[in-house]
Amino acid sequence: MTATLSDLERIKAGSRLLRGTIVEGLADPVTGAISDEDNKLLKFHGSYQQDDRDLRDERRRQKLEPAYSFLIRARLPGGVITSAQWLAFDAIAREYANGTLRITTRQTFQWHGVRKPHLKPAIAAINHAMASTIAACGDVNRNVVCAANPEQSAAHGEVHAWAVRLSDHLRPRTRSYGEIWLDDELVVGTEESEPLYGATYLPRKFKIGLAVPPVNDIDVFAQDLGLIAIIQDGALAGFNVAVGGGMGASHGDASTYPRLGDVIGFVTPERVLELAENVIAIQRDWGDRAERKHARLKYTLDRRGVGAFVAELESRLGFALESKRPFAFEHSGDRYGWIEDHAGRWHLTLHIESGRLADTPPRSLLSGMREIANAHRGDFRLTCNQNLIIANVAATDRAAIDALVQRHGLDGYRRQSGIRRHALACVALPTCGLAMAESERYLPDLLPKLEALLDRRGLLDAPILLRLSGCPNGCARPYLGEIALIGKAPGRYNLMLGADHRGQRLNRLYRENVDEDGILAAIEPLFARYAAERVADERFGDFLLRSGVLPAPRTIPVEAIA
Ligand code: SRM
Ligand code: SF4
């Protein structure tokens, strides 16, 4: 490629494997910020510098620097944590962050509002709890997500183990993380290298997810590398391989778009590490390092062709992928309430609105979960739908957990509407620097209005997938929402409709740049038609296509093969 490399490529190359001048920046007492270059490197360590956007104007008027703070994101492959880890993470939230824990759409925790002097102790505390933040952000393989559905507990154990192995195998090897955050001794004289990534890491972020059909609770086709577990006779036979999923786009730029992954074949479990390593290596070598907007694997595939990619992959692997095996997804949501697994253990899935665990009277979600973690002898699972599973509960402990869940207002799942239980919202304002409109903070205002429209049509229980993102980057995977709002400007959104409920069909633009009145006015008649014309068990997104409200797609990019 002859094009000039993007600035970030230069910064990575000169960073001495992600060191930059982060240590010096953290020590500078004059500002609550670090330099722009260090901020870009900091992402690879699992943190972003932000500022409170609610306070920007006031701080400017007072001639103060912005109210800087840092976001920290943990690396928790498969989203499984112990009670001890929960308690440690809760303490970090209260001691160093803004007193909340945020479950992300990639099955991990974020802490917001961490001031610069607290960044190092907070990251050290996360490591002390036997977790890490390395590569939770940055141009590397991110947190590996995997199915959380307790109905599939036997398969979950096996698939989760692969998520952990993939996460470890693809972790950056730089010693800078230990030096900066954990006071590791500088090792002089020994060679330090990044055997997979090289000194400039990947052209862009890379995401892996493992799904276990029939539940697509991780949105496997939104991953750069999606692995679809094929269970035969109760055992894991291997994985169908999907490549090139991704959600991010920019308004008004048709060269950027959401894309669903292509299923290119099947591999047995023992080959999955080399498969992932080689997919990443091709993206490392072929990805666009000049224009970051076009640097994700999905664009590499569309530029070079899926066929050429598979040929290169097979040549590097030294073997051909097997033919993809039959699979079928039924839905992409979580199933709430108690479930008993094959081994007689119980699992309770709770709905956590936008994944935010906070104490906001009359509910005390953060304190409630602390009390539960103090008593709970099993573990916890975070889901990619921003929810929470209290996992591996003995039958005799269920009543005590139920009582705590109820006392702290964690039992919303019992009475919530279908649309509320299936809603996702990204963080957006006030912390996200890229937000164009509210998302997490808008959801509680919007939901009652949608619920009123649904109630009028007898549709309160309809499990409609609603997804809100404050900008087109798509952190709530909005292009897979049956209804989605994508922020354009304060109070204005693009209304997208018509994805399916299995994560296999993208939605499309229905109304551009509308305010709340415009959104409700557009949706109300569709709910009326849905109530009157739907056939048995027909989901809202499918109805919109069958009824002709939306034109049939030219092709449905991903169809289950039976
Ligand atoms: Fe995201 C950037 C939050 C999942 C696509 N995302 C951001 C940043 C860091 C903003 C920034 O760069 O300054 C947001 C921080 C906001 C804040 O204050 O917390 C942010 N993304 C999130 C989270 C917390 C949303 C949530 O509400 O849960 C999710 C954290 C995931 C994690 O634990 O790792 C989150 N982001 C996603 C997903 C969903 C997924 O991965 O399943 C996507 C779409 C899938 C994809 O990657 O294509 C996503 N985030 C983006 C993008 C667009 C990437 C692209 O290819 O265009 C950006 C912007 C960027 O990278 O330049 C972005
Ligand atoms: Fe921020 Fe946009 Fe992601 Fe929402 S979708 S968290 S507004 S980058």
Side-chain angles (χ1 to χ4, degrees):
M1 201 168 298
T2 51
T4 322
L5 293 182
S6 73
D7 261 4
L8 197 45
E9 292 302 318
R10 180 185 51 75
I11 294 170
K12 286 185 280 188
S15 74
R16 298 174 297 121
L17 298 187
L18 308 179
R19 287 173 177 81
T21 54
I22 293 176
V23 170
E24 293 79 351
L26 291 177
D28 180 355
V30 173
T31 165
I34 57 172
S35 73
D36 281 353
E37 293 204 357
D38 285 337
N39 190 28
K40 296 200 163 67
L41 298 173
L42 185 68
K43 298 178 185 181
F44 292 77
H45 298 260
S47 178
Y48 286 70
Q49 179 179 301
Q50 305 183 311
D51 73 283
D52 187 331
R53 293 180 60 182
D54 287 347
L55 302 180
R56 264 187 200 173
D57 290 346
E58 182 54 30
R59 306 267 307 180
R60 206 175 294 131
R61 263 195 296 279
Q62 294 188 18
K63 302 201 173 0
L64 295 169
E65 73 172 13
Y68 291 118
S69 68
F70 293 81
L71 163 175
I72 302 177
R73 189 182 288 165
R75 179 179 179 87
L76 297 176
V80 175
I81 55 175
T82 62
S83 290
Q85 285 177 316
W86 189 288
L87 294 172
F89 295 164
D90 166 83
I92 292 164
R94 290 178 292 126
E95 195 171 339
Y96 300 124
N98 66 356
T100 75
L101 277 172
R102 177 57 158 69
I103 304 170
T104 74
T105 52
R106 290 193 73 75
Q107 215 171 29
T108 186
F109 279 129
Q110 276 188 185
W111 294 262
H112 290 100
V114 180
R115 303 279 171 217
K116 192 166 82 169
H118 288 157
L119 193 54
K120 183 167 172 173
I123 292 180
I126 292 167
N127 281 269
H128 191 65
M130 309 304 289
S132 179
T133 64
I134 190 165
C137 326
D139 296 344
V140 277
N141 176 55
R142 302 283 189 95
N143 196 42
V144 178
V145 297
C146 93
N149 175 20
E151 278 173 276
Q152 303 159 306
S153 231
H156 174 265
E158 225 176 328
V159 172
H160 176 252
W162 282 109
V164 173
R165 275 180 217 131
L166 280 160
S167 175
D168 290 346
H169 190 71
L170 303 168
R171 189 174 42 79
R173 301 293 173 214
T174 174
R175 292 198 290 263
S176 60
Y177 185 84
E179 285 169 19
I180 296 173
W181 309 108
L182 310 174
D183 292 329
D184 284 358
E185 295 281 314
L186 286 173
V187 188
V188 186
T190 50
E191 194 65 21
E192 184 188 14
S193 69
E194 285 285 9
L196 171 59
Y197 294 114
T200 50
Y201 295 83
L202 296 180
R204 202 70 163 86
K205 59 178 78 168
F206 191 93
K207 299 182 173 179
I208 300 182
L210 294 82
V212 183
V215 180
N216 188 11
D217 55 352
I218 64 150
D219 277 330
V220 72
F221 300 110
Q223 313 290 325
D224 292 276
L225 173 59
L227 297 166
I228 302 165
I230 303 296
I231 312 287
Q232 280 167 350
D233 303 324
L236 178 68
F239 298 95
N240 278 345
V241 179
V243 288
M247 294 279 104
S250 305
H251 285 309
D253 180 352
S255 72
T256 65
Y257 44 83
R259 183 187 191 281
L260 297 183
D262 291 275
V263 182
I264 57 169
F266 170 90
V267 288
T268 50
E270 54 282 4
R271 290 185 146 167
V272 81
L273 295 182
E274 53 179 325
L275 171 97
E277 191 179 315
N278 280 283
V279 169
I280 288 177
I282 300 175
Q283 165 62 359
R284 175 198 65 204
D285 301 341
W286 286 13
D288 186 342
R289 289 184 186 263
E291 176 50 81
R292 286 184 65 77
K293 265 190 182 179
H294 301 147
R296 292 291 289 274
L297 177 63
K298 61 183 175 180
Y299 301 117
T300 309
L301 282 169
D302 285 347
R303 204 173 53 249
R304 303 285 287 254
V306 175
F309 180 86
V310 174
E312 177 72 13
L313 179 62
E314 292 182 339
S315 140
R316 291 191 190 206
L317 284 169
F319 62 85
L321 300 178
E322 293 179 37
S323 304
K324 56 193 172 191
R325 305 255 175 113
F327 68 96
F329 286 118
E330 288 171 2
H331 66 87
S332 58
D334 292 335
R335 184 207 170 283
Y336 297 99
W338 285 103
I339 279 189
E340 185 179 15
D341 71 18
H342 65 290
R345 290 163 308 198
W346 289 84
H347 308 270
L348 176 62
T349 305
L350 302 176
H351 175 239
I352 308 297
E353 194 164 288
S354 301
R356 183 73 68 177
L357 290 159
D359 287 347
T360 40
R363 299 186 309 153
S364 41
L365 308 190
L366 191 74
S367 305
M369 285 310 303
R370 185 183 324 127
E371 241 188 282
I372 289 171
N374 265 313
H376 179 43
R377 288 171 288 175
D379 50 16
F380 298 92
R381 294 180 200 166
L382 310 181
T383 85
C384 291
N385 289 311
Q386 301 175 322
N387 291 318
L388 171 56
I389 301 174
I390 304 172
N392 292 310
V393 179
T396 44
D397 292 341
R398 277 183 57 185
I401 289 200
D402 269 337
L404 288 172
V405 161
Q406 191 177 343
R407 178 166 0 125
H408 292 281
L410 285 153
D411 58 344
Y413 73 91
R414 292 210 179 104
R415 35 180 189 276
Q416 284 161 351
S417 66
I419 198 166
R420 190 176 286 263
R421 282 154 48 125
H422 287 81
L424 295 186
C426 74
V427 177
L429 293 158
T431 50
C432 179
L434 305 177
M436 298 171 176
E438 296 280 355
S439 179
E440 181 181 330
R441 294 197 298 195
Y442 180 41
L443 188 67
D445 291 341
L446 176 68
L447 273 171
K449 293 169 187 156
L450 290 174
E451 284 170 337
L453 298 184
L454 288 162
D455 198 19
R456 205 179 296 160
R457 307 291 170 189
L459 292 170
L460 253 194
D461 290 333
I464 296 172
L465 298 189
L466 171 70
R467 297 191 173 184
L468 266 62
S469 272
C471 83
N473 284 318
C475 298
R477 298 184 294 276
Y479 307 100
L480 287 167
E482 291 175 290
I483 301 175
L485 299 184
I486 301 194
K488 268 221 111 170
R492 303 194 79 87
Y493 299 85
N494 282 354
L495 171 61
M496 315 283 293
L497 296 177
D500 73 339
H501 57 284
R502 297 179 300 258
Q504 297 185 177
R505 182 179 67 231
L506 294 172
N507 54 21
R508 69 279 307 269
L509 183 63
Y510 187 67
R511 292 281 187 276
E512 195 169 357
N513 199 21
V514 277
D515 61 8
E516 184 177 272
D517 289 343
I519 294 162
L520 299 176
I523 287 180
E524 207 276 330
L526 302 180
F527 285 166
R529 282 193 63 184
Y530 180 49
E533 299 170 32
R534 70 189 157 146
V535 297
D537 296 330
E538 188 173 30
R539 296 286 296 256
F540 185 61
D542 292 343
F543 166 77
L544 294 175
L545 262 72
R546 185 186 57 78
S547 62
V549 170
L550 297 172
R554 275 192 300 276
T555 54
I556 293 180
V558 181
E559 267 301 79
I561 45 172

